[in-house]
Amino acid sequence: MAWKNQGGGPWGSGPKGPWGSGPQPTGSGPRPPDLEDLLRRAQDRMQQFLPGGYFSGLGVALALLVVLAIWGMSGFFRVQPDELGVVLRFGKAVRTVGPGLSYHLPYPIEAVLLPKALRVSTLNIGFSSDDTPRRSRDGRRDVPEESLMLTGDENIVDVQFTVLWRIKPKGAADFLFNIQNPEGTVKAVAESAMREVVGRSDIQPILTNDRDKIQQAVLELMQKTLDGYGSGIQIQQLQMGQVNPPADVIQSFNDVQNAKTELESAQNQAQTYANQVVPQARGSAAQIVQGAEGYKQQAIAEAKGQSARFLKVYEEYKKAPDVTRERLYLETMERILGNSDKLVYDGGAAGQGGVVPYLPLSELSRRPQTGQSQQGTGGAR
């Protein structure tokens, strides 16, 4: 039955139908075709192509071919740049398809799932960027139930960190079938791994110079745990953010840290002074030891020389005692008198009391005049 455009119908007042305005009055414009007329015309055209009716053999075959073509073309699918296509055959993963246009056997033989396997996801632990009244100064909301942790020396530390993770290129099927809540699983594993590593460490290294070691240890522990779950997840990076004592005791903790810093500074100054003084003292001690060693060697050498000389003199003495004795006497007197002041006494000069003024024999011996030297030495006795 054709649509009757009567006023007050379900599409409002006036001559309207479900596709807009109804037929206009005569002379106001062209009248739109009736729906039943369109269907009747389409049936007539189909009968022209299918002689014998819809239910003839050729008609059924053509209909089946059209249905099969549509069914076969339903296997085409497109994988976006940040996705991986996991093709399932009767519910079992058989292959992985990269980005681009691909094909799988039509449903229900095969189907495809498209996880965001090439996208790196970010997960914040200990803080959130939600717009809530508990936000901090930098616009982030602290989550103390996630960030407060107990250290190995029984201190409490507030640790906030970020985890970057993605699906492994060959683990898309594991990601789809082995875990139900991927983000929740990664968050639970990250928090557990961080608590374990922090629980084995003291608070001072965590706050100062051991962040890189802690980050690496947590990343390795997370990856090991997730691989044990068969999750197909790969941890790309772990970044530690704010690491502070709890807000209630942070001022006291800073005072303690400043005192420790001053202590370390004083110790460094003392060590610097010791590094200057100790080498000097060691150098002086080494110099004294070397001088004593040199004197020792000199004394030993002189003693050996004197001993050898004495033995040589003794050998000569045994051969000629009188001559050797006289020579020793003369050499001894020469050595004694050569180092002492001299007065010459002349017993024949009575008028002068027998004392002759000092004759500088050493000075006279240096003069080149032979005659004066002989004259000066001739008066000496």
Side-chain angles (χ1 to χ4, degrees):
M1 181 179 66
W3 293 103
K4 301 299 182 181
N5 297 317
Q6 300 176 358
W11 300 281
S13 61
K16 294 183 180 180
W19 296 279
S21 300
Q24 302 294 330
T26 305
S28 62
R31 181 179 179 180
D34 192 276
L35 179 60
E36 290 186 355
D37 293 338
L38 292 176
L39 293 176
R40 189 178 299 108
R41 292 174 186 177
Q43 292 175 359
D44 294 339
R45 291 179 181 178
M46 289 293 296
Q47 289 179 357
Q48 293 178 2
F49 291 100
L50 299 175
Y54 291 111
F55 298 101
S56 64
L58 181 59
V60 173
L62 290 177
L64 290 176
L65 288 176
V66 172
V67 172
L68 289 175
I70 296 174
W71 181 68
M73 293 180 63
S74 66
F76 287 98
F77 64 96
R78 180 181 296 276
V79 181
Q80 299 299 325
D82 61 342
E83 297 176 341
L84 280 179
V86 179
V87 179
L88 308 179
R89 183 175 298 165
F90 299 112
K92 180 180 179 182
V94 292
R95 69 179 187 275
T96 303
V97 181
L101 184 63
S102 300
Y103 182 81
H104 65 81
L105 296 178
Y107 182 85
I109 300 175
E110 289 185 348
V112 63
L113 297 177
L114 301 173
K116 302 291 185 180
L118 303 181
R119 183 180 63 185
V120 178
S121 301
T122 302
L123 181 63
N124 298 323
I125 299 177
F127 67 97
S128 175
S129 58
D130 297 337
D131 295 332
T132 60
R134 295 178 58 190
R135 289 186 302 172
S136 59
R137 293 181 180 179
D138 56 358
R140 301 187 304 181
R141 182 176 67 89
D142 295 335
V143 186
E145 56 269 19
E146 296 177 358
S147 60
L148 293 180
M149 303 180 185
L150 186 65
T151 63
D153 52 356
E154 299 181 356
N155 286 301
I156 298 177
V157 64
D158 190 345
V159 181
Q160 298 179 359
F161 61 101
T162 301
V163 178
L164 304 180
W165 63 277
R166 54 167 292 183
I167 303 173
K168 292 182 178 180
K170 297 182 179 180
D174 295 335
F175 176 81
L176 292 172
F177 296 106
N178 290 347
I179 55 176
Q180 184 176 5
N181 183 6
E183 184 173 351
T185 301
V186 174
K187 186 172 184 178
V189 171
E191 185 177 347
S192 175
M194 180 62 74
R195 290 185 183 277
E196 179 175 345
V197 174
V198 169
R200 296 197 302 257
S201 306
D202 295 338
I203 188 171
Q204 188 62 32
I206 297 175
L207 298 176
T208 54
N209 55 359
D210 272 3
R211 286 197 177 191
D212 293 339
K213 295 181 180 178
I214 292 175
Q215 290 178 172
Q216 186 63 29
V218 173
L219 190 148
E220 293 176 356
L221 183 57
M222 286 184 61
Q223 191 63 61
K224 181 180 179 181
T225 304
L226 292 172
D227 291 343
Y229 293 164
S231 63
I233 294 176
Q234 180 178 358
I235 304 300
Q236 293 288 102
Q237 191 176 3
L238 188 142
Q239 300 173 349
M240 294 182 66
Q242 297 181 2
V243 180
N244 296 313
D248 297 337
V249 298
I250 189 170
Q251 184 60 42
S252 300
F253 187 86
N254 290 334
D255 294 339
V256 173
Q257 296 305 312
N258 292 334
K260 290 183 178 180
T261 302
E262 293 177 358
L263 175 61
E264 293 179 356
S265 178
Q267 290 177 344
N268 293 333
Q269 293 178 359
Q271 187 63 38
T272 301
Y273 177 74
N275 292 336
Q276 294 176 354
V277 173
V278 171
Q280 293 178 357
R282 289 177 178 174
S284 300
Q287 183 179 2
I288 294 173
V289 172
Q290 293 294 332
E293 187 67 24
Y295 175 77
K296 172 185 174 182
Q297 297 297 330
Q298 179 181 0
I300 292 174
E302 290 178 355
K304 289 182 178 179
Q306 292 178 1
S307 175
R309 179 176 176 277
F310 180 79
L311 293 176
K312 292 293 185 182
V313 172
Y314 180 68
E315 293 294 333
E316 297 297 329
Y317 177 78
K318 289 193 298 183
K319 296 179 181 178
D322 296 335
V323 177
T324 304
R325 188 182 301 112
E326 184 68 20
R327 196 184 81 180
L328 291 174
Y329 174 76
L330 294 176
E331 291 178 353
T332 303
M333 295 304 295
E334 180 181 3
R335 185 170 61 256
I336 294 173
L337 295 177
N339 296 326
S340 62
D341 297 333
K342 304 172 184 61
L343 293 176
V344 179
Y345 175 73
D346 187 2
Q352 298 180 0
V355 177
V356 179
Y358 169 67
L359 297 177
L361 300 179
S362 59
E363 295 292 335
L364 293 175
S365 62
R366 296 192 184 97
R367 295 179 181 179
Q369 291 81 0
T370 306
Q372 294 179 359
S373 177
Q374 291 176 355
Q375 181 180 0
T377 57
R381 296 183 181 177

